[in-house]
Amino acid sequence: MLVINQSTRFLILLFTVFITSSLVLFYKKTGCNFCKHLNININEITKKENIMPVVILGSGSAGMSAGIYASRLGFKTLIIEGEKPGGQLTGTTYVENWPSIQRIMGPKLMEDLKEQNQKLGVSFLQDTVVSVDLAKWPFEVITSDGLKINALTVIVATGSNPRVLGIPGEKEYWGKGVTTCAVCDAPFFKNKNVVVVGGGDSAAEEVLQLNPYVNKITMLVRGSALRASQAMINHLKNVKSLAILYNQDLKKIIGDDSHVTSIVLWDNKQNKEINMDIDGVFLAIGHEPNTQIFKDKLKMDKMGYLELEGRSQKTSVEAVFAAGDVEDHVYKQAGVASGSGIKAALDASRFLQEIGFSPEVANKIQNKYFEISEIGPSKVTSISSLDEYKKEVLESEIPVVLDFWANHCPTCKQMLPSFESLSKKFSGKMKFIKVDIDKAPELVKELYILKVPSFIVFKGGQIVARYNDVMQKQQMESFFGQFID
Ligand code: NDP
């Protein structure tokens, strides 16, 4: 009979406790929902409808580059454009660092990339993804319009959103002097004094976009040096109206209810508070990755950037790849995002080949591919004069929504497809009218427009709501929908 003495028993107990806690720690760290492998059987897809071999979420330089490669590799490819069609480059002016093109407007570069994708047969869906079921394959991708797509591979290229400070007055004066888009709103600050918060390339861009309009720009940098590239710093040297204040933390934004009038700063070197009279606050303090819909589904770091496997673009779930600013917190360049989009498409292609998605299989399911269906022409109209405003808005028998937009405002243009789509959905129940601010100065004055995009909802000739920020389609639908009887 085996005799176990007391010290051996103690050692066994210690060993058991060690193994159990290590397993618990390992499980917590990796999260085993991240490490599971999917039960993939290529023959199963013939039972499905609305199939798409490659679904790309996002249409910035990462998504568009992935589209070019995936379609040229022979796979039917869908790009779901997302909240910001064209991505961040549509919010810049000149791009001077895209290899082989010396100087091009950011929006033009993205238009060209879209055209190249379309010529290669890539389909574009003007919609936003609200969820992706990664628990079973093919993955069910659900959009804000309620479309369901069975994706054999997913490339997440959802980019990032501008960061905000979360200080008093920021929310209250959003659109009343506080903004993140100089390219949209600079014309509202003619001969005014503004601050740009941040010291990176985005802040430098904001300064260059504001320069032709404003009286004085003060750049507020929290540290003792700029983070912007030397090329951008050289551009800043030519801006006569620019002053740069270092070691400044913006603590509070103050206004008179209708717009910003001053700010409170904390000089973190001299430890003293400074009050500054100001008309506008432009925030350019970096971006946060757009990965909320993948929380607890894909492995990400504590800042929300998706984690990749080795040198590939593979995420923690098989058949899901990521590219661009959702996974890159180091380089954050359009060219790098483009390269990672190419890698993601190559990884997706390899995966499809490995699971046996051959031309024969593709042929078998050719009637089962997801198709984009159009639902009639847009019902959006335009007005520019006070007379039209009186007739079309104030005397309207049904609620009216005015969308103040501008050609120089990328986010306004990005929201137009959603606005148009809702005009069809709410046809006869609500009028959808666009106002181009550059062609309607009287209306801009009459309705106190200080920012684009701005939406005003009228009911019975009275203003019932205002909203002056970017909205996703779903948000727009519930916001406008509440005023429909
Ligand atoms: P960055 O992260 O490069 O810079 C952010 C800036 O905001 C830094 O000065 C940072 O200060 C400051 N900041 C961050 N948080 C706060 C805060 N809470 N309060 C005050 N200041 C804050 O972001 P960008 O958006 O400027 O640039 C992102 C990437 O895009 C970069 O790689 C950039 O090169 C690229 N880009 C390139 C352009 C071009 O080439 N034309 C144009 C725009 C962007 P601190 O330095 O102390 O951290």
Side-chain angles (χ1 to χ4, degrees):
M1 198 172 94
L2 183 68
V3 179
I4 302 172
N5 66 20
Q6 213 171 348
S7 55
T8 315
R9 241 183 269 148
F10 178 70
L11 277 176
I12 291 172
L13 183 72
L14 208 67
F15 182 69
T16 316
V17 169
F18 173 73
I19 292 291
T20 316
S21 50
S22 304
L23 280 174
V24 168
L25 269 179
F26 175 75
Y27 179 84
K28 274 193 178 166
K29 207 168 170 221
T30 56
C32 260
N33 52 337
F34 297 132
C35 54
K36 79 174 148 237
H37 285 275
L38 300 157
N39 188 13
I40 291 172
N41 177 358
I42 192 68
N43 298 319
E44 285 295 302
I45 64 169
T46 50
K47 298 179 190 155
K48 299 275 177 188
E49 299 291 328
N50 292 327
I51 301 166
M52 201 33 87
V54 182
V55 175
I56 299 168
L57 316 188
S59 53
S61 54
M64 296 273 208
S65 305
I68 293 170
Y69 268 70
S71 59
R72 279 177 52 85
L73 287 160
F75 300 106
K76 252 191 171 314
T77 302
L78 173 73
I79 295 184
I80 305 179
E81 295 194 64
E83 279 171 48
K84 214 186 239 180
Q88 283 184 49
L89 279 189
T90 56
T92 59
T93 48
Y94 287 104
V95 175
E96 294 175 342
N97 51 10
W98 187 270
S100 94
I101 301 179
Q102 287 185 16
R103 195 166 147 92
I104 185 168
M105 289 293 280
K108 171 81 175 103
L109 178 58
M110 296 321 291
E111 267 170 41
D112 291 352
L113 270 174
K114 184 170 181 177
E115 199 182 313
Q116 188 176 1
N117 270 279
Q118 283 169 324
K119 284 197 172 145
L120 289 165
V122 176
S123 307
F124 281 79
L125 183 64
Q126 286 168 346
D127 206 341
T128 308
V129 171
V130 288
S131 76
V132 185
D133 182 357
L134 299 181
K136 53 184 187 312
W137 185 90
F139 307 118
E140 190 175 62
V141 176
I142 302 180
T143 74
S144 68
D145 268 351
L147 299 174
K148 289 181 180 165
I149 302 148
N150 281 307
L152 307 191
T153 63
V154 169
I155 296 177
V156 185
T158 43
S160 57
N161 280 330
R163 200 178 279 149
V164 291
L165 284 167
I167 53 166
E170 184 179 48
K171 243 191 189 154
E172 200 181 339
Y173 287 99
W174 196 264
K176 296 175 178 177
V178 184
T179 171
T180 50
C181 182
V183 80
C184 314
D185 299 331
F188 293 111
F189 293 85
K190 271 186 194 135
N191 305 319
K192 305 264 184 187
N193 298 329
V194 299
V195 290
V196 171
V197 187
D201 281 332
S202 298
E205 276 264 358
E206 300 280 285
V207 169
L208 299 177
Q209 281 150 11
L210 285 161
N211 184 37
Y213 297 96
V214 300
N215 176 51
K216 188 176 175 200
I217 311 166
T218 308
M219 223 171 152
L220 302 173
V221 183
R222 69 174 171 182
S224 52
L226 291 176
R227 188 195 279 250
S229 59
Q230 194 53 49
M232 292 303 267
I233 293 174
N234 291 344
H235 284 309
L236 291 186
K237 285 180 184 153
N238 300 322
V239 180
K240 301 273 181 297
S241 58
L242 174 67
I244 305 179
L245 295 183
Y246 293 98
N247 301 106
Q248 301 297 322
D249 294 321
L250 179 56
K251 288 290 177 198
K252 192 174 177 186
I253 299 169
I254 299 166
D256 62 2
D257 279 350
S258 67
H259 54 77
V260 170
T261 52
S262 65
I263 51 171
V264 179
L265 297 172
W266 176 253
D267 185 319
N268 58 42
K269 199 167 184 191
Q270 297 186 44
N271 289 333
K272 64 171 190 191
E273 203 173 86
I274 302 167
N275 290 290
M276 188 189 276
D277 287 345
I278 215 77
D279 304 299
V281 178
F282 287 79
L283 301 174
I285 55 168
H287 293 81
E288 277 166 6
N290 228 332
T291 51
Q292 299 84 338
I293 60 166
F294 293 107
K295 197 164 178 282
D296 299 328
K297 291 183 176 178
L298 294 177
K299 208 168 175 181
M300 50 183 86
D301 67 13
K302 59 180 186 303
M303 281 145 75
Y305 290 94
L306 295 181
E307 290 189 2
L308 302 179
E309 198 180 285
R311 296 193 61 199
S312 75
Q313 301 302 127
K314 292 178 189 172
T315 67
S316 52
V317 170
E318 223 177 339
V320 182
F321 308 89
D325 283 6
V326 277
E327 51 84 9
D328 170 24
H329 50 89
V330 180
Y331 301 103
K332 296 184 269 182
Q333 299 297 308
V336 177
S338 168
S340 66
I342 294 169
K343 283 173 65 192
L346 290 166
D347 287 345
S349 155
R350 202 160 299 137
F351 167 83
L352 287 167
Q353 281 162 6
E354 277 169 11
I355 61 162
F357 187 76
S358 60
E360 294 74 45
V361 176
N363 209 22
K364 258 195 221 165
I365 58 156
Q366 56 174 312
N367 300 328
K368 291 169 172 268
Y369 281 126
F370 170 77
E371 297 286 347
I372 298 169
S373 54
E374 274 302 318
I375 51 161
S378 158
K379 304 276 182 203
V380 177
T381 56
S382 301
I383 59 168
S384 57
S385 70
L386 283 173
D387 284 346
E388 287 171 311
Y389 167 61
K390 191 166 170 279
K391 189 162 165 279
E392 296 297 328
V393 181
L394 300 183
E395 292 170 8
S396 171
E397 284 175 4
I398 56 171
V400 183
V401 55
L402 290 188
D403 173 4
F404 287 84
W405 73 289
N407 223 347
H408 50 78
C409 162
T411 45
C412 301
K413 291 201 274 187
Q414 283 152 6
M415 281 194 291
L416 275 178
S418 304
F419 195 69
E420 283 176 353
S421 159
L422 290 175
S423 76
K424 298 176 213 170
K425 183 159 189 174
F426 293 145
S427 175
K429 294 182 189 150
M430 186 175 230
K431 274 192 202 171
F432 284 71
I433 303 178
K434 284 190 300 188
V435 183
D436 180 347
I437 58 150
D438 294 320
K439 293 184 181 146
E442 287 176 330
L443 279 176
V444 168
K445 206 168 158 204
E446 175 77 15
L447 291 161
Y448 303 104
I449 300 300
L450 286 174
K451 184 187 188 305
V452 279
S454 272
F455 298 95
I456 308 184
V457 185
F458 292 78
K459 209 171 171 181
Q462 303 290 322
I463 296 179
V464 287
R466 280 179 180 263
Y467 192 90
N468 45 24
D469 203 1
V470 180
M471 269 194 277
Q472 287 180 38
K473 189 168 171 193
Q474 245 184 349
Q475 232 180 323
M476 255 190 207
E477 184 168 346
S478 56
F479 181 67
F480 300 152
Q482 65 184 310
F483 302 105
I484 293 174
D485 297 321

